[in-house]
Amino acid sequence: MTPESVLQALQSDGNRGLDEHEVQLRRNVFGQNALTPKKGKNPFLLFLLQIHQPLVYLLIAAAVVTAFLQEWVDSSVIAGVVLLNAIIGFIQESHALHAIESLAKKMNIRATVLRNGQKRDIPAVELVPGDMVFLTSGDKVPADLVLIKIRELQIDESSLTGESAPVAKKLTALAAETVLADRLNMAYFSTLVTYGTATGVVVETGDRSEIGRINRMMVTATELETPLMLRISQFSQWLLWVILGCAALTFLIGWLRGESALSMFMASVALAVGAIPEGLPAALTITLAIGVSRMAKRHAIVRKLPAVETLGSTTVICTDKTGTLTQNQMTVKTVAVSGVIFQASGSGYEPEGCFFLDGESITLDNHPALGECLKAGLLCNEARLYKTDDGWQIDGDPTEGALLVSAHKAGFDHAEVNGNHPRLDTLPFEAQHQFMATLHQNRSLDEQHIYLKGSVESIVTRCSNAFDEQLHVIPLDLNAIHRLVELLAGQGLRIIAFARRNSPGDEQSVGHDDLKEGLTFIGIQAMLDPPRPEAAASIASCQAAGIRVKMITGDHPGTARAIAINLGLLRPGRFHRLFNIPVQGHVMSGSELAGIAQEKYVDIVDAYDIYARISPEQKLRLVEALQLKGNIVAMTGDGVNDAPALRQANIGVAMGKSGTDVAKEAAAIVLTDDNFSTIEAAVEEGRGVFDNLEKFIAWTLPTNLGEGLVIAAAVFADVALPITPVQILWINMSTAVLLGLMLAFEPKEPGLMLRKPRSPTQPIFTRRLTLRIVLVGLMLLTCAFGLFEWHLAHSQSLQAARTVAVNMFVIGQVFYLFNCRSLTNSLFMVGVWSNRWLIVGVLLMIFAQLLLTYWSPMNQLFGTAPIETFEWLIIVALGLVIYLLIELEKGLFKRFSE
């Protein structure tokens, strides 16, 4: 709609605004200009939800049963484990899910409005549709507006659309299907006015604004359980039924054979307590916490513990372009004058670098036209370059900042050049004219020069001739200029053209009439937001690890394509051949994406890797489509527009430097350096964490299986229990803390990032891992039960026989612990001494077993008795046999699987 038709539709007076009566009527209809907050979880309920897990229910049952048996120490220990895990989980989650609150806080701004013919400064929450709002540089737009009047208006919409540069607005009607980033006649709430002034009429407020729609998407976006949590939940439910079934079967068989119900109940309790992996929840939490610490050292702050492992299972990374893959600092890469193309080194805002011609470094002495082009960019400029503790920074437009940096690289000093060319007047940039002009007094030549910079089209139409390389005036070759522009634009470069005109007389001002014709074309500067130097290597590493990287940006398709080519993201593959997508052309725009039929949507989304001009709704839908293909999706983002997709993704990754509060609250991980290479490092750490968790599970479950089998064997054989419930608890808790948890400190194995991602549908227990657990469990059963019966047969006391059985379990676990340092490779490949904590844990465990065996208070508490030296030798020998057999199994499996 045109501005006039919008005012008519809203029944608003552009000269007087709304009156107070009309404002009140509209507020009654539309409500306040505020976002509806999402109701949060009650803290007590949030705490109880930490206990709502099958494995924790097993621990609670064990605590209740041991309390019933008056084993107060063991009951307290188990209850403490439950409480500690609940507290850790509560603290982690209590900091999450505040994204809507951050969105609501953004409404605490003020607006200048026209009411009853008078300007007023009011809180933005009081705005209603039809209000006339005034905008000026530095203002945050207080609602969604249709622009009525503008003067050189530019708005930074990066937090909403992902567009890296400020958008020049226009008063023009647009097609109804125009995507958000191209709606040049609109100003949207939460965006920032960087230049110029404007008047607009409010068309949407609160929940009906674009940011309000994002708010609603955040409410409906589903936070998915991580792969680890799903697997642990499935395993816990399966384990719960197995333990209950085995305990009931043991009770039934013993009772049918004539044993007393009480003794069979005690045996069933012993079996259940032995089968419950009490240390697993604590090991899970601590292993993840250690992963958090390691990731923090690599610039990744984890807000939700399970996110550590989720990154290790990631199959697709959807990443933003600006600031993540690129430096978010526009940099001049090419300067062309009179058909001669110069290349500039360096990147970002640091004024270090030089210019090259045909690979040779050059100076301005032999290339005066190059110097004139750079000087034009320096003088016709409103930006400021300065240095801070964090490096070089720009005040003003990023494009103008890049022009300052390029001039500094050539040796120009800003203050000196301005001193020799004082500015007399400025004709600001206007969207309808697409150029800026400044009038200067050249003190060296005692002349006045007008410098222009702007789009190529706006500059060349005003030029009658051009400078050659030595600043001699020559005819203007429009065809050569257009061929050059086409070449550079195809590389994704943003092109700025420059021209000059000598001003006659002593004029003190410059106007449009002075610039209609007769200018001399100087040249062009072409720039881009350069890729981060380490991004390409990180992307290649992810691809080698079987992770697909997709770039989703609000920027132009040409820019996205150029960056993707530089980073190695545009490569032919089976998806591109399948859908007949050209190698250099497979960039999907938001408008094209909107036209895809529903039945083809998921497959097409999976095929493309580069997306440009994407809206917030489309980002969310892209993530959902990838998840429907069975992918574990990591999504990066920094703007308000990214928040719904960050929450929907299996793992949301926000930018710490450039990210909005909304994005950080919606994410599970925050990158403190805004760098894609940190994501690759975090994936590596995540894989290491899952490896160590898998090692712990492979280590702890054979003990639980062996203990359960020992109890069941004793019941079936109608003999005394080889180990009592309290001894089982000692084995499980002490070894979990002193032995199992030390696996959390295992260093990452070589070749970790050369593996393919673990399938989301793959259970924790692979066939090989299950066979390993059964094999070790049976060996522990054979050794412990055999030694127990052998000692009883040689007239040993029941307490001493049980002590031998307990020590057999512990020493067997010690030797098997070294097997589990790598589930596939030999101990000597990972390094015997590479985990010093594990060695310390083993020594402490041996000391604890000596106390259990020989210290009288421990004998009384746990029903143990001292044993002879030769019995220790037998136990150690059997432990060594277990170690050697598992190493043999590893070698055979590796040999036959190759």
Side-chain angles (χ1 to χ4, degrees), residues 573-581 603-604 606-607 629:
R574 66 182 184 88
F575 293 105
H576 311 129
R577 290 192 293 269
L578 178 64
F579 290 95
N580 195 28
I581 302 167
D603 289 331
I604 293 291
D606 200 42
K629 291 286 286 187

Side-chain angles (χ1 to χ4, degrees), residues 658-672:
S658 62
T660 60
D661 288 342
V662 180
K664 293 174 187 176
E665 289 293 338
I669 291 178
V670 179
L671 306 184
T672 59

Side-chain angles (χ1 to χ4, degrees), residues 168-471:
K169 295 296 183 176
K170 296 180 180 179
L171 296 182
T172 178
L174 300 168
E177 63 272 13
T178 303
V179 297
L180 185 68
D182 293 332
R183 297 175 193 171
L184 302 181
N185 59 352
M186 297 283 294
Y188 290 104
F189 168 71
S190 84
T191 58
L192 178 67
V193 179
T194 60
Y195 194 81
T197 60
T199 304
V201 58
V202 176
V203 290
E204 298 290 3
T205 59
D207 289 338
R208 292 174 298 280
S209 65
E210 283 296 326
I211 201 171
R213 293 170 63 235
I214 293 175
N215 179 22
R216 294 198 300 275
M217 286 191 291
M218 293 223 8
V219 172
T220 57
T222 306
E223 276 196 288
L224 300 181
E225 280 193 287
T226 69
L228 177 67
M229 293 297 102
L230 286 171
R231 291 173 185 141
I232 291 292
S233 177
Q234 293 166 357
F235 162 66
S236 301
Q237 292 176 23
W238 172 82
L239 185 62
L240 174 64
W241 292 110
V242 168
I243 291 173
L244 291 177
C246 291
L249 182 63
T250 300
F251 177 87
L252 182 62
I253 291 175
W255 183 64
L256 291 175
R257 292 177 58 178
E259 299 290 339
S260 69
L262 180 59
S263 63
M264 283 301 95
F265 176 75
M266 293 295 294
S268 299
V269 167
L271 187 149
V273 170
I276 297 174
E278 289 91 350
L280 183 56
L284 178 67
T285 302
I286 293 172
T287 303
L288 291 174
I290 291 171
V292 167
S293 176
R294 287 178 175 175
M295 291 173 73
K297 294 176 183 177
R298 302 184 75 170
H299 307 291
I301 304 300
V302 178
R303 298 181 64 251
K304 302 174 184 177
L305 277 182
V308 181
E309 180 274 333
T310 310
L311 266 177
S313 303
T314 298
T315 58
V316 175
I317 297 176
C318 296
T319 177
D320 191 17
K321 174 185 71 67
T322 305
T324 307
L325 296 175
T326 66
Q327 299 177 34
N328 198 20
Q329 296 183 343
M330 297 298 291
T331 304
V332 172
K333 305 301 290 184
T334 301
V335 181
V337 292
S338 189
V340 181
I341 300 177
F342 300 89
Q343 302 297 331
S345 63
S347 63
Y349 292 148
E350 186 173 1
E352 298 292 335
C354 56
F355 287 87
F356 296 86
L357 178 62
D358 298 328
E360 298 288 334
S361 178
I362 57 97
T363 63
L364 296 184
D365 296 337
N366 300 322
H367 303 280
L370 171 62
E372 187 67 11
C373 188
L374 295 173
K375 185 171 70 174
L378 184 70
L379 292 171
C380 192
N381 202 309
E382 300 287 1
R384 184 172 71 92
L385 176 67
Y386 60 98
K387 190 174 184 179
T388 68
D389 293 338
D390 295 328
W392 289 88
Q393 303 292 332
I394 287 292
D395 262 351
D397 184 88
T399 298
E400 292 192 324
L403 298 176
L404 288 184
V405 174
S406 68
H408 277 265
K409 288 178 181 178
F412 284 108
D413 180 84
H414 200 171
E416 182 181 340
V417 173
N418 278 314
N420 292 330
H421 301 76
R423 185 184 296 188
L424 304 177
D425 193 25
T426 301
L427 190 63
F429 177 89
E430 293 181 4
Q432 61 266 39
H433 296 298
Q434 292 292 302
F435 71 84
M436 171 186 175
T438 53
L439 174 64
H440 297 267
Q441 178 70 44
N442 188 326
R443 289 176 173 172
S444 300
L445 302 176
D446 195 23
E447 295 177 351
Q448 289 185 351
H449 293 162
I450 300 172
Y451 287 103
L452 265 73
K453 81 166 188 291
S455 67
V456 175
E457 295 79 7
S458 67
I459 298 299
V460 296
T461 56
R462 291 169 167 78
C463 292
S464 305
N465 46 43
F467 286 122
D468 70 5
E469 198 177 354
Q470 297 300 319
L471 286 182

Side-chain angles (χ1 to χ4, degrees), residues 607-650:
Y608 280 76
D609 286 339
I610 314 298
Y611 295 87
R613 285 298 197 212
I614 298 299
S615 69
E617 295 96 331
Q618 288 175 324
K619 284 189 177 185
L620 178 61
R621 197 177 174 204
L622 281 170
V623 172
E624 291 172 335
L626 291 168
Q627 289 170 335
L628 285 174
K629 291 286 286 187
N631 289 296
I632 300 297
V633 181
M635 172 77 189
T636 76
D638 57 4
V640 174
N641 60 321
D642 298 319
L646 286 174
R647 282 202 55 183
Q648 176 64 37
N650 299 87

Side-chain angles (χ1 to χ4, degrees), residues 81 85 202 753 817 881:
V81 170
N85 279 282
V202 176
M753 288 299 284
L817 182 69
V881 169

